[in-house]
Amino acid sequence: MSFLSPYGPSSFTPDDGLDLFFSPELIPDQVKKQLPGDLHIRPLASSDYHRGHLAVLSVLTVVTDPGEDAWVEQFRTMRATSGTYYPIVIVDKASDKVVGVGCVFMERKFLRGLGIVGHIEDIAVDKGQQGKKLGLRIIQVLTHISEQAGCYKTILNCSDANIPFYEKCGFIKKENEMAKYA
Ligand code: ACO
């Protein structure tokens, strides 16, 4: 199965020409400035299906292409739960392709004074772009969004192999993950 756009390479689309998931102002300038000049970090856009969003996610795990219509429907359903999901992408300006992805979502609680926990999910960097601190920048942005939203903690699950990466991002190992697959 191919995730390539049928339109081929195209020119870079600035934020104001896109239908974005959330306001790009939530992405701190400090992190933007630390990205290589040929890359741009922004919220997921409703047209990112054509920029290889699923191809980058497939670096992380098995991805089934639902087709553009279903992808856009999922985008809109998630965005309608306002203030809950914050998916971001890093785009290569030369190709206008997604090369990095990540998301934080807000879990609202009754405990901790009606506290909120930020959950970081689905972090992936294109194989050809790994080792350039893009993963670190994605985590910095998502943690910033989580903290700005008032989360008392930001958490994630990862493999043992990725523990050193998250430690470099300032996270510490806490407790264990349990899973029951359907
Ligand atoms: N082991 C040890 N150190 C690592 C590892 C690793 N597996 N990965 C990165 N690092 C270090 C880097 O060397 C760097 O250290 P430095 O600051 O001393 O130079 C630091 O962590 C930051 O690394 P980045 O360059 O930002 O990492 P990268 O852009 O390659 O992204 C990522 C890391 C996201 C894990 C990437 O390798 C990837 O996409 N892997 C496949 C998908 C995946 O496993 N995603 C995470 C799933 S967990 C989740 O989604 C919550």
PDB file of all heavy atoms in Angstrom, residues 100-118:
ATOM      1  N   GLY A 100       7.625  14.603  10.501  1.00  0.00           N
ATOM      2  CA  GLY A 100       7.545  14.290  11.925  1.00  0.00           C
ATOM      3  C   GLY A 100       6.135  14.530  12.428  1.00  0.00           C
ATOM      4  O   GLY A 100       5.441  15.432  11.932  1.00  0.00           O
ATOM      5  N   VAL A 101       5.684  13.701  13.372  1.00  0.00           N
ATOM      6  CA  VAL A 101       4.322  13.843  13.904  1.00  0.00           C
ATOM      7  C   VAL A 101       4.316  13.593  15.408  1.00  0.00           C
ATOM      8  O   VAL A 101       5.215  12.938  15.947  1.00  0.00           O
ATOM      9  CB  VAL A 101       3.321  12.852  13.239  1.00  0.00           C
ATOM     10  CG1 VAL A 101       3.269  13.040  11.737  1.00  0.00           C
ATOM     11  CG2 VAL A 101       3.672  11.422  13.587  1.00  0.00           C
ATOM     12  N   GLY A 102       3.270  14.096  16.068  1.00  0.00           N
ATOM     13  CA  GLY A 102       3.063  13.826  17.486  1.00  0.00           C
ATOM     14  C   GLY A 102       1.752  14.441  17.923  1.00  0.00           C
ATOM     15  O   GLY A 102       1.171  15.273  17.206  1.00  0.00           O
ATOM     16  N   CYS A 103       1.261  14.010  19.087  1.00  0.00           N
ATOM     17  CA  CYS A 103      -0.013  14.526  19.581  1.00  0.00           C
ATOM     18  C   CYS A 103      -0.001  14.525  21.108  1.00  0.00           C
ATOM     19  O   CYS A 103       0.643  13.667  21.721  1.00  0.00           O
ATOM     20  CB  CYS A 103      -1.154  13.632  19.081  1.00  0.00           C
ATOM     21  SG  CYS A 103      -2.813  14.213  19.522  1.00  0.00           S
ATOM     22  N   VAL A 104      -0.656  15.521  21.714  1.00  0.00           N
ATOM     23  CA  VAL A 104      -0.944  15.450  23.144  1.00  0.00           C
ATOM     24  C   VAL A 104      -2.457  15.598  23.280  1.00  0.00           C
ATOM     25  O   VAL A 104      -3.072  16.393  22.566  1.00  0.00           O
ATOM     26  CB  VAL A 104      -0.175  16.528  23.954  1.00  0.00           C
ATOM     27  CG1 VAL A 104      -0.533  17.947  23.557  1.00  0.00           C
ATOM     28  CG2 VAL A 104      -0.382  16.320  25.456  1.00  0.00           C
ATOM     29  N   PHE A 105      -3.063  14.766  24.144  1.00  0.00           N
ATOM     30  CA  PHE A 105      -4.495  14.956  24.410  1.00  0.00           C
ATOM     31  C   PHE A 105      -4.728  15.128  25.899  1.00  0.00           C
ATOM     32  O   PHE A 105      -3.945  14.663  26.730  1.00  0.00           O
ATOM     33  CB  PHE A 105      -5.367  13.842  23.806  1.00  0.00           C
ATOM     34  CG  PHE A 105      -5.386  12.548  24.570  1.00  0.00           C
ATOM     35  CD1 PHE A 105      -6.332  12.335  25.578  1.00  0.00           C
ATOM     36  CD2 PHE A 105      -4.495  11.545  24.289  1.00  0.00           C
ATOM     37  CE1 PHE A 105      -6.364  11.142  26.280  1.00  0.00           C
ATOM     38  CE2 PHE A 105      -4.511  10.352  24.988  1.00  0.00           C
ATOM     39  CZ  PHE A 105      -5.449  10.148  25.989  1.00  0.00           C
ATOM     40  N   MET A 106      -5.790  15.863  26.214  1.00  0.00           N
ATOM     41  CA  MET A 106      -6.076  16.273  27.582  1.00  0.00           C
ATOM     42  C   MET A 106      -7.106  15.351  28.212  1.00  0.00           C
ATOM     43  O   MET A 106      -8.209  15.193  27.683  1.00  0.00           O
ATOM     44  CB  MET A 106      -6.619  17.713  27.596  1.00  0.00           C
ATOM     45  CG  MET A 106      -5.746  18.714  26.867  1.00  0.00           C
ATOM     46  SD  MET A 106      -4.110  18.819  27.611  1.00  0.00           S
ATOM     47  CE  MET A 106      -3.193  19.593  26.277  1.00  0.00           C
ATOM     48  N   GLU A 107      -6.719  14.753  29.331  1.00  0.00           N
ATOM     49  CA  GLU A 107      -7.647  13.914  30.097  1.00  0.00           C
ATOM     50  C   GLU A 107      -8.124  14.724  31.313  1.00  0.00           C
ATOM     51  O   GLU A 107      -7.327  15.059  32.189  1.00  0.00           O
ATOM     52  CB  GLU A 107      -6.929  12.643  30.581  1.00  0.00           C
ATOM     53  CG  GLU A 107      -7.794  11.759  31.443  1.00  0.00           C
ATOM     54  CD  GLU A 107      -6.984  10.792  32.310  1.00  0.00           C
ATOM     55  OE1 GLU A 107      -5.742  10.859  32.293  1.00  0.00           O
ATOM     56  OE2 GLU A 107      -7.611  10.003  33.020  1.00  0.00           O
ATOM     57  N   ARG A 108      -9.420  15.036  31.340  1.00  0.00           N
ATOM     58  CA  ARG A 108      -9.964  15.836  32.451  1.00  0.00           C
ATOM     59  C   ARG A 108     -10.406  14.910  33.571  1.00  0.00           C
ATOM     60  O   ARG A 108     -11.074  13.906  33.312  1.00  0.00           O
ATOM     61  CB  ARG A 108     -11.127  16.690  31.934  1.00  0.00           C
ATOM     62  CG  ARG A 108     -10.632  17.774  31.027  1.00  0.00           C
ATOM     63  CD  ARG A 108     -11.685  18.496  30.226  1.00  0.00           C
ATOM     64  NE  ARG A 108     -11.060  19.034  29.024  1.00  0.00           N
ATOM     65  CZ  ARG A 108     -10.277  20.111  29.004  1.00  0.00           C
ATOM     66  NH1 ARG A 108     -10.045  20.768  30.114  1.00  0.00           N
ATOM     67  NH2 ARG A 108      -9.707  20.515  27.870  1.00  0.00           N
ATOM     68  N   LYS A 109     -10.030  15.271  34.818  1.00  0.00           N
ATOM     69  CA  LYS A 109     -10.254  14.389  35.965  1.00  0.00           C
ATOM     70  C   LYS A 109     -11.150  15.028  37.013  1.00  0.00           C
ATOM     71  O   LYS A 109     -11.272  16.251  37.075  1.00  0.00           O
ATOM     72  CB  LYS A 109      -8.902  14.043  36.611  1.00  0.00           C
ATOM     73  CG  LYS A 109      -8.044  13.116  35.765  1.00  0.00           C
ATOM     74  CD  LYS A 109      -6.788  12.726  36.508  1.00  0.00           C
ATOM     75  CE  LYS A 109      -6.061  11.579  35.841  1.00  0.00           C
ATOM     76  NZ  LYS A 109      -6.772  10.291  35.970  1.00  0.00           N
ATOM     77  N   PHE A 110     -11.729  14.174  37.897  1.00  0.00           N
ATOM     78  CA  PHE A 110     -12.462  14.674  39.059  1.00  0.00           C
ATOM     79  C   PHE A 110     -11.504  14.898  40.225  1.00  0.00           C
ATOM     80  O   PHE A 110     -11.787  15.667  41.129  1.00  0.00           O
ATOM     81  CB  PHE A 110     -13.583  13.702  39.451  1.00  0.00           C
ATOM     82  CG  PHE A 110     -14.772  13.790  38.538  1.00  0.00           C
ATOM     83  CD1 PHE A 110     -15.000  12.825  37.569  1.00  0.00           C
ATOM     84  CD2 PHE A 110     -15.662  14.860  38.626  1.00  0.00           C
ATOM     85  CE1 PHE A 110     -16.079  12.922  36.721  1.00  0.00           C
ATOM     86  CE2 PHE A 110     -16.745  14.971  37.778  1.00  0.00           C
ATOM     87  CZ  PHE A 110     -16.959  13.989  36.816  1.00  0.00           C
ATOM     88  N   LEU A 111     -10.374  14.187  40.207  1.00  0.00           N
ATOM     89  CA  LEU A 111      -9.427  14.335  41.319  1.00  0.00           C
ATOM     90  C   LEU A 111      -8.452  15.484  41.048  1.00  0.00           C
ATOM     91  O   LEU A 111      -8.529  16.159  40.012  1.00  0.00           O
ATOM     92  CB  LEU A 111      -8.687  13.007  41.568  1.00  0.00           C
ATOM     93  CG  LEU A 111      -8.113  12.243  40.371  1.00  0.00           C
ATOM     94  CD1 LEU A 111      -6.924  12.935  39.792  1.00  0.00           C
ATOM     95  CD2 LEU A 111      -7.773  10.832  40.790  1.00  0.00           C
ATOM     96  N   ARG A 112      -7.558  15.692  42.022  1.00  0.00           N
ATOM     97  CA  ARG A 112      -6.569  16.780  41.914  1.00  0.00           C
ATOM     98  C   ARG A 112      -7.228  18.122  41.581  1.00  0.00           C
ATOM     99  O   ARG A 112      -6.755  18.862  40.698  1.00  0.00           O
ATOM    100  CB  ARG A 112      -5.528  16.457  40.835  1.00  0.00           C
ATOM    101  CG  ARG A 112      -4.670  15.273  41.150  1.00  0.00           C
ATOM    102  CD  ARG A 112      -3.327  15.707  41.633  1.00  0.00           C
ATOM    103  NE  ARG A 112      -2.451  14.559  41.809  1.00  0.00           N
ATOM    104  CZ  ARG A 112      -1.187  14.663  42.159  1.00  0.00           C
ATOM    105  NH1 ARG A 112      -0.637  15.843  42.347  1.00  0.00           N
ATOM    106  NH2 ARG A 112      -0.454  13.586  42.318  1.00  0.00           N
ATOM    107  N   GLY A 113      -8.342  18.396  42.261  1.00  0.00           N
ATOM    108  CA  GLY A 113      -9.024  19.682  42.036  1.00  0.00           C
ATOM    109  C   GLY A 113      -9.477  19.828  40.596  1.00  0.00           C
ATOM    110  O   GLY A 113      -9.253  20.880  39.975  1.00  0.00           O
ATOM    111  N   LEU A 114     -10.104  18.776  40.067  1.00  0.00           N
ATOM    112  CA  LEU A 114     -10.553  18.753  38.661  1.00  0.00           C
ATOM    113  C   LEU A 114      -9.350  18.975  37.735  1.00  0.00           C
ATOM    114  O   LEU A 114      -9.399  19.775  36.792  1.00  0.00           O
ATOM    115  CB  LEU A 114     -11.649  19.789  38.392  1.00  0.00           C
ATOM    116  CG  LEU A 114     -12.883  19.725  39.309  1.00  0.00           C
ATOM    117  CD1 LEU A 114     -13.915  20.784  38.895  1.00  0.00           C
ATOM    118  CD2 LEU A 114     -13.538  18.335  39.265  1.00  0.00           C
ATOM    119  N   GLY A 115      -8.284  18.258  38.035  1.00  0.00           N
ATOM    120  CA  GLY A 115      -7.032  18.419  37.295  1.00  0.00           C
ATOM    121  C   GLY A 115      -7.083  17.832  35.883  1.00  0.00           C
ATOM    122  O   GLY A 115      -8.019  17.098  35.517  1.00  0.00           O
ATOM    123  N   ILE A 116      -6.077  18.161  35.115  1.00  0.00           N
ATOM    124  CA  ILE A 116      -5.941  17.658  33.728  1.00  0.00           C
ATOM    125  C   ILE A 116      -4.578  16.973  33.599  1.00  0.00           C
ATOM    126  O   ILE A 116      -3.570  17.485  34.102  1.00  0.00           O
ATOM    127  CB  ILE A 116      -6.008  18.787  32.677  1.00  0.00           C
ATOM    128  CG1 ILE A 116      -7.149  19.765  32.979  1.00  0.00           C
ATOM    129  CG2 ILE A 116      -6.163  18.220  31.266  1.00  0.00           C
ATOM    130  CD1 ILE A 116      -7.105  21.018  32.109  1.00  0.00           C
ATOM    131  N   VAL A 117      -4.571  15.834  32.901  1.00  0.00           N
ATOM    132  CA  VAL A 117      -3.319  15.139  32.578  1.00  0.00           C
ATOM    133  C   VAL A 117      -3.116  15.201  31.064  1.00  0.00           C
ATOM    134  O   VAL A 117      -4.044  14.923  30.300  1.00  0.00           O
ATOM    135  CB  VAL A 117      -3.367  13.662  33.033  1.00  0.00           C
ATOM    136  CG1 VAL A 117      -2.116  12.917  32.576  1.00  0.00           C
ATOM    137  CG2 VAL A 117      -3.508  13.564  34.551  1.00  0.00           C
ATOM    138  N   GLY A 118      -1.915  15.554  30.656  1.00  0.00           N
ATOM    139  CA  GLY A 118      -1.585  15.548  29.226  1.00  0.00           C
ATOM    140  C   GLY A 118      -0.978  14.213  28.840  1.00  0.00           C
ATOM    141  O   GLY A 118      -0.035  13.743  29.499  1.00  0.00           O
TER     142      GLY A 118
END
